[in-house]
Amino acid sequence: GQNIDQPTEMTATEGAIVQINCTYQTSGFNGLFWYQQHAGEAPTFLSYNVLDGLEEKGRFSSFLSRSKGYSYLLLKELQMKDSASYLCAVRDWKDSNYQLIWGAGTKLIIKP
Amino acid sequence: TAGITQAPTSQILAAGRSMTLRCTQDMRHNAMYWYRQDLGLGLRLIHYSNTAGTTGKGEVPDGYSVSRANTDDFPLTLASAVPSQTSVYFCASSDSRGGGVVKEAFFGQGTRLTVV
């Protein structure tokens, strides 16, 4: 079946580094997305991985291991505005098209 | 500004009443989606459309219907609302056709629906 797991909530300190993990099981994997969602707002795209390895984009990096069904989002130099939920989503091939399978999200709380 | 627009932003609806949530995109994306988001459950797919004229059922389709008469519009209808349909509803669109280019989904701002 299809399943995506990520921690429900994490807490970190301003200026520090935090790693949010995501594990998945899908049948037709074709890429993994990370989205950020502030409370009361829509999800916004952060990163995409389709090959193994690390993708860096400023303070945010995302890693993928397809053999392990595992990804993480690394946030450096944390700022208060990074307090949000982070959603992991896998693109799966279904019904002759790609569809996104979503994790429940990780709520990240940043403390001063 | 190009993007995806939902209406209304919020609504209180009496149980048993019908309602249509509107969604319009101007990015010429082939695929459109309706999700509901409830605390602790993440985004759950209600219905989707891979191209104009076709629709499909997602994870939680019961009590909802959709249509896709053209590329831009994808309305979601609740025929007879029940309190369990209280949720935040997000419409999204993407270019879901094959290819190696990153094709992320774009989301509308959401509709907060309360059924009483």
Side-chain angles (χ1 to χ4, degrees), chain A residues 8 30 33 35 37 39-50 85 87 91 93-105, chain B residues 30-31 33 35 37 40-45 48 50 57 90 94-110 112:
Chain A
T8 303
N30 197 266
F33 295 83
Y35 280 75
Q37 186 178 25
E41 298 182 8
T44 56
F45 170 72
L46 282 179
S47 69
Y48 172 74
N49 295 69
V50 67
S85 287
L87 314 179
R91 191 165 68 168
W93 183 255
K94 183 181 178 184
D95 296 335
S96 302
N97 235 300
Y98 293 115
Q99 294 198 17
L100 286 176
I101 313 299
W102 293 86
Chain B
N30 67 295
Y33 314 89
Y35 293 95
Q37 188 175 40
L41 295 178
L43 288 163
R44 292 186 292 169
L45 184 65
Y48 64 93
N50 288 328
K57 294 182 179 180
F90 286 103
S94 72
D95 181 353
S96 71
R97 293 163 294 186
V101 179
V102 178
K103 296 173 181 175
E104 72 270 27
F106 293 83
F107 285 80
Q109 75 273 31
R112 185 173 297 274

Side-chain angles (χ1 to χ4, degrees), chain A residues 4-100:
Chain A
I4 297 181
D5 288 314
Q6 50 182 134
T8 303
E9 187 175 296
M10 300 181 70
T11 302
T13 304
E14 188 178 16
I17 299 172
V18 71
Q19 177 175 312
I20 302 174
N21 296 325
C22 172
T23 58
Y24 64 88
Q25 289 179 311
T26 60
S27 55
F29 178 85
N30 197 266
L32 186 144
F33 295 83
W34 283 97
Y35 280 75
Q36 181 189 60
Q37 186 178 25
H38 286 101
E41 298 182 8
T44 56
F45 170 72
L46 282 179
S47 69
Y48 172 74
N49 295 69
V50 67
L51 299 176
D52 291 350
L54 189 68
E55 293 283 340
E56 297 187 79
K57 197 185 279 189
R59 293 190 299 115
F60 293 5
S61 302
S62 56
F63 171 84
L64 176 67
S65 169
R66 289 171 295 171
S67 63
K68 295 182 179 178
Y70 167 71
S71 172
Y72 68 72
L73 180 69
L74 191 72
L75 292 74
K76 304 175 185 176
E77 301 170 15
L78 287 169
Q79 302 175 10
M80 297 303 293
K81 67 178 182 180
D82 297 330
S83 291
S85 287
Y86 292 85
L87 314 179
C88 173
V90 172
R91 191 165 68 168
D92 199 33
W93 183 255
K94 183 181 178 184
D95 296 335
S96 302
N97 235 300
Y98 293 115
Q99 294 198 17
L100 286 176

Side-chain angles (χ1 to χ4, degrees), chain B residues 22-75:
Chain B
R22 300 183 297 279
C23 177
T24 300
Q25 55 106 356
D26 61 5
M27 296 174 282
R28 308 305 293 173
H29 286 162
N30 67 295
M32 296 187 74
Y33 314 89
W34 273 105
Y35 293 95
R36 59 178 291 173
Q37 188 175 40
D38 303 289
L39 193 65
L41 295 178
L43 288 163
R44 292 186 292 169
L45 184 65
I46 303 170
H47 284 287
Y48 64 93
S49 169
N50 288 328
T51 188
T54 68
T55 62
K57 294 182 179 180
E59 181 184 355
V60 289
D62 294 343
Y64 307 94
S65 64
V66 292
S67 62
R68 186 89 182 274
N70 56 60
T71 298
D72 299 344
D73 301 300
F74 191 45

